[in-house]
Amino acid sequence: MSAKPLPSGDDARRLELSHLYLTAAIKLNTARRTSPGQPPFRGAIGGISIDRKGWLFAWAAYVATTADVPELSVWPAAQRGVPFDVVLPAAAEVEVLVRIDTPERAVGRLAHHLHDISMVRIDPDVDYLRRAVAAYRHELRLERDRAGTEEGSA
């Protein structure tokens, strides 16, 4: 687990992450309070994503209704990070649950949180996540090596 404080609020929305796993829309057991004058959040989506340094993030995004959750086809599958602002409604709130090093721990934290807020049980393919994380981190190492070689020859 990373010792740095977890991003929240606008900082969490600006995170540029590559998304490895997303849940479908989830209806919350109890509505989540928002800013005064705004409707409470009644829907959510959860996910596991990776940043450009190789850290995994388990997160949940809260929306007014489950209809406000973007279709899964809207989420970019690109290797490059994409901010949440690109795919989530403006009123959505992103909560980063954990920044961690292993897919198993990320899945465990996300599963525990989603069960707490909605009684939903998730069963992501951890073997796939392990392979995807290893491939992503390998690609990051190759990029760093290429950048170091180019700087050394310049």
Side-chain angles (χ1 to χ4, degrees), residues 21-111:
Y21 173 78
L22 298 167
T23 66
I26 297 168
K27 184 176 182 207
L28 302 178
N29 287 339
T30 57
R32 184 179 171 104
R33 290 180 178 223
T34 61
S35 312
Q38 298 295 320
F41 294 133
R42 298 185 189 285
I45 185 170
I48 297 171
S49 305
I50 192 166
D51 70 0
R52 298 284 301 149
K53 293 181 180 179
W55 282 105
L56 291 168
F57 289 76
W59 54 269
Y62 302 96
V63 292
T65 69
T66 55
D68 293 332
V69 172
E71 294 293 322
L72 295 182
S73 63
V74 172
W75 291 83
Q79 287 290 332
R80 298 291 172 241
V82 176
F84 286 103
D85 283 341
V86 173
V87 288
L88 290 175
E93 176 185 308
V94 176
E95 178 182 9
V96 176
L97 307 172
V98 69
R99 178 178 34 234
I100 203 148
D101 56 346
T102 67
E104 294 83 0
R105 290 178 178 169
V107 166
R109 183 64 183 98
L110 180 63

Side-chain angles (χ1 to χ4, degrees), residues 26-30 32 44 60 62 112-120:
I26 297 168
K27 184 176 182 207
L28 302 178
N29 287 339
T30 57
R32 184 179 171 104
Y62 302 96
H112 179 75
H113 183 75
L114 294 179
H115 188 272
D116 284 351
I117 64 171
S118 65
M119 302 296 247
V120 166

